[in-house]
Amino acid sequence: MSSNPSQHKKRTRIALLPAAALLLVGGTVFVQSTGPAVAAETTLRAAAAKAGLFFGVAASPGRLSSIVGQEFNQLTPENDMKPSTIATSSGALQNTGAADTLVNHAQSNNMVVRGHTMVWHSQAGSLQGANQATLNTFIGNALTRWGNRIAYWDVVNEALEDNNTGRRRTQWPHTLNRDANGDGDFFDSTDTDVIRDSFIRAKQVVQQNSLSTKLCINDYDVEGLTVQGGTANRKANALYDIVRTYRQYIDCVGFQSHFNDNPNSIISNDLQANIQRFADLGVEVHLTEVDIDDDLSNNDIGQGQADNYRKVVRACLNVARCTGITVWGISDSESWRSSERGLLFTGGNGNYQRKAAYTAVLDELNKGRTISPTTPPVTPTTPPVSPTSTPVPPTTPPVTPSDPPVSPSVSPSSPQPPAGCSASVSLNSWTGGFVATVRVTAGSAPINGWSVGLTLPNGATVSNSWNSTATGTSGAVRFSNVSYNGRIAAGQSTEFGFQGTGTATGITPTCTAS
Ligand code: 9MR
């Protein structure tokens, strides 16, 4: 089959989905089902646009055949915006020619660009070993070089360790981190955190230049709530804690989605639930580097792989704030993992053939979203970056401990006596399982800690929790604050969550403050 869609047999099939109603929420277009049947789209980008998301591809200047602009409406430079190419040791820019070629190609084909990537332990080139001030210089230069021509930037990439430890990496740039009070995290205002400090700088640049560029954190093996064997996905939980804590600086989360037979890289049944919990924080979620090893379907390059693609695309479509999917290359033979044959096309050099996986993705996109109108996505709010940090000179010094804490907190020496708290729960359920998000709200006075009790129905068990310490897994269970979310100012809230098996309908949480 040719790569030119105009030469394809015209699809006469009529999609079963009703017409799409566009809903603008927080600057993002969402689609809800409303009316009569509409014709199916014949390209990935058209079908995705109708469903209210982008469908993109990773590209290099040597791979800009016509199919790029025909099938995709988003482009990520696969290698040409990495520090190894464009950064000098002082954080200045160099060698931006290939990146410019890609941005120009995207613009002339009405494609959105994702910048990839700024703060990363790998492919750092001359930036390797830089301090935070130099990283900040590079962040500012990269953001302002392309401005609004880049819609999304991966500010921080792959910050978390392999093997489901849930820990940060220990190599540079994470050697810049300092856990000042030794409590095991980098979230306290006196800690130094390269993730926080890089996002603070990026947000300052965005605000000072009135850019609309959205700032993302991107990682792999974070896709499911669980990994193989049903073990909690600690890496996903750690990413969730980072996004929740630094929500005011982070606009979007990338799940790389390199699915293969590594036990931590599987397509788990709770992919959608995990996308949903990040989306519930108000960030956009993107599947940023999708490829699906055909081994996952018993060496079946046909239907099994197609079904897996369908499942992944559906998980995104079912979450309103999942606003984009990007495949990591056009064809199997030109992929970084060609032996896995994980992409949507075969062939090469501009002559590509569609696989069953392509047809499945197109079909699933054409079905559109199935989003309940009763649960509109939350509009994200981005408060201005701390007034103490403006105006910012071109080369910003590292963010100092004098920066205000990121999350709402009260002084530990707060004179008020402990007061009450309340808790409410929202459930995201599927057959055989659920995710509960519990909101803890302080009463009329600040609280220094909290504990939420609830009784699970018979047969329900807790398998995984985040942002709390859980006691018990069935019947009467209890969740207590962790180090960074115990203190809540009067009238303010924090959230924790847990995943369970069985059904949790009707659970009533009770909050006790300390
Ligand atoms: O696809 C990229 C490949 O061409 C490079 O050789 C490789 C070097 O690390 O990086 C690949 O892209 C990576 C991406 O930037 C981040 N996530 C993992 C991707 C695959 O390794």
Side-chain angles (χ1 to χ4, degrees):
M1 206 186 295
S2 156
S3 63
N4 183 347
S6 64
Q7 293 167 0
H8 294 155
K9 214 170 132 201
K10 186 91 183 146
R11 282 167 221 268
T12 49
R13 185 167 49 87
I14 299 294
L16 293 176
L17 87 163
L22 294 178
L23 179 69
L24 193 65
V25 181
T28 303
V29 175
F30 297 98
V31 172
Q32 294 177 332
S33 301
T34 53
V38 292
E41 297 295 340
T42 57
T43 63
L44 300 171
R45 66 179 286 168
K50 196 180 265 184
L53 73 166
F54 61 73
F55 201 94
V57 66
S60 310
R63 299 259 163 79
L64 292 176
S65 62
S66 55
I67 199 169
V68 171
Q70 286 161 352
E71 287 289 348
F72 304 99
N73 56 2
Q74 183 269 331
L75 185 153
T76 305
E78 184 172 354
N79 286 301
D80 297 299
M81 266 184 202
K82 291 174 177 171
S84 51
T85 303
I86 64 167
T88 71
S89 58
S90 64
L93 298 187
Q94 61 174 4
N95 303 330
T96 52
D100 286 337
T101 300
L102 293 171
V103 173
N104 290 339
H105 186 86
Q107 256 196 321
S108 51
N109 286 279
N110 289 320
M111 303 169 82
V112 162
V113 179
R114 178 186 210 89
H116 177 79
T117 180
M118 296 179 183
V119 178
W120 189 22
H121 68 279
S122 179
Q123 287 184 280
S126 309
L127 211 54
Q128 179 81 35
N131 60 21
Q132 186 69 53
T134 306
L135 285 176
N136 287 350
T137 301
F138 174 62
I139 289 167
N141 286 332
L143 274 167
T144 52
R145 172 71 174 75
W146 288 283
N148 286 341
R149 301 175 82 200
I150 295 191
Y152 300 97
W153 252 111
D154 288 328
V155 176
V156 173
N157 193 41
E158 300 178 0
L160 297 161
E161 232 174 37
D162 287 338
N163 302 320
N164 199 22
T165 65
R167 291 193 297 258
R168 303 280 184 96
R169 288 182 187 276
T170 51
Q171 68 266 58
W172 178 90
H174 308 285
T175 45
L176 299 173
N177 290 338
R178 295 278 176 272
D179 178 12
N181 65 3
D183 67 352
D185 66 47
F186 303 100
F187 291 141
D188 304 291
S189 56
T190 50
D191 290 347
T192 302
D193 183 348
V194 68
I195 297 177
R196 174 194 65 189
D197 298 347
S198 299
F199 272 101
I200 286 178
R201 173 60 182 152
K203 189 57 92 178
Q204 286 170 346
V205 174
V206 161
Q207 292 182 347
Q208 288 165 5
N209 293 278
S210 301
L211 299 178
S212 54
T213 308
K214 294 186 175 173
L215 307 174
C216 310
I217 186 165
N218 192 47
D219 217 321
Y220 60 89
D221 290 357
V222 294
E223 291 77 16
L225 285 170
T226 53
V227 297
Q228 200 168 74
T231 306
N233 189 343
R234 288 185 278 275
K235 189 166 175 177
N237 291 349
L239 182 67
Y240 181 87
D241 288 346
I242 290 166
V243 175
R244 185 194 151 280
T245 306
Y246 302 141
R247 169 65 189 96
Q248 62 186 303
Y249 311 118
I250 299 178
D251 306 308
C252 35
V253 175
F255 291 5
Q256 290 188 6
S257 307
H258 292 294
F259 294 112
N260 54 56
D261 51 13
N262 177 307
N264 302 316
S265 310
I266 58 163
I267 303 172
S268 59
N269 287 329
D270 43 38
L271 170 63
Q272 183 182 322
N274 195 33
I275 296 172
Q276 184 70 59
R277 74 164 163 155
F278 279 86
D280 288 345
L281 293 174
V283 291
E284 287 182 51
V285 183
H286 305 132
L287 310 184
T288 51
E289 305 184 12
V290 181
D291 44 33
I292 304 180
D293 184 352
D294 68 325
D295 276 353
L296 286 179
S297 38
N298 300 320
N299 282 313
D300 174 10
I301 201 165
Q303 204 49 51
Q305 187 183 46
D307 289 346
N308 280 329
Y309 259 103
R310 200 181 272 283
K311 199 168 157 181
V312 169
V313 170
R314 175 49 49 196
C316 178
L317 285 168
N318 281 354
V319 179
R321 206 170 282 287
C322 186
T323 52
I325 301 173
T326 307
V327 284
W328 204 243
I330 301 168
S331 88
D332 290 346
S333 64
E334 295 171 350
S335 159
W336 71 296
R337 278 182 173 164
S338 54
S339 63
E340 294 183 355
R341 299 180 298 184
L343 294 172
L344 302 179
F345 294 84
T346 57
N349 293 321
N351 181 18
Y352 300 111
Q353 294 83 46
R354 288 162 172 72
K355 293 165 56 178
Y358 170 94
T359 311
V361 170
L362 180 62
D363 184 57
E364 208 58 39
L365 290 170
N366 267 317
K367 290 179 191 165
R369 295 191 186 267
T370 52
I371 297 158
S372 161
T374 58
T375 54
V378 185
T379 305
T381 53
T382 308
V385 172
S386 143
T388 61
S389 53
T390 51
V392 176
T395 52
T396 314
V399 176
T400 65
S402 64
D403 271 57
V406 171
S407 49
S409 65
V410 294
S411 159
S413 59
S414 177
Q416 293 96 330
C421 58
S422 58
S424 60
V425 65
S426 71
L427 284 177
N428 176 21
S429 303
W430 60 91
T431 309
F434 64 90
V435 166
T437 304
V438 182
R439 172 169 284 258
V440 178
T441 305
S444 55
I447 60 175
N448 292 322
W450 47 263
S451 172
V452 172
L454 55 90
T455 302
L456 291 168
N458 279 345
T461 57
V462 175
S463 50
N464 180 19
S465 64
W466 49 93
N467 293 335
S468 70
T469 303
T471 312
T473 56
S474 62
V477 292
R478 184 155 287 283
F479 302 87
S480 305
N481 66 273
V482 283
S483 61
Y484 55 83
N485 65 3
R487 295 199 292 270
I488 311 178
Q492 299 298 301
S493 299
T494 190
E495 281 186 353
F496 72 91
F498 60 97
Q499 184 193 1
T501 55
T503 174
T505 310
I507 55 172
T508 312
T510 309
C511 188
T512 310
S514 52

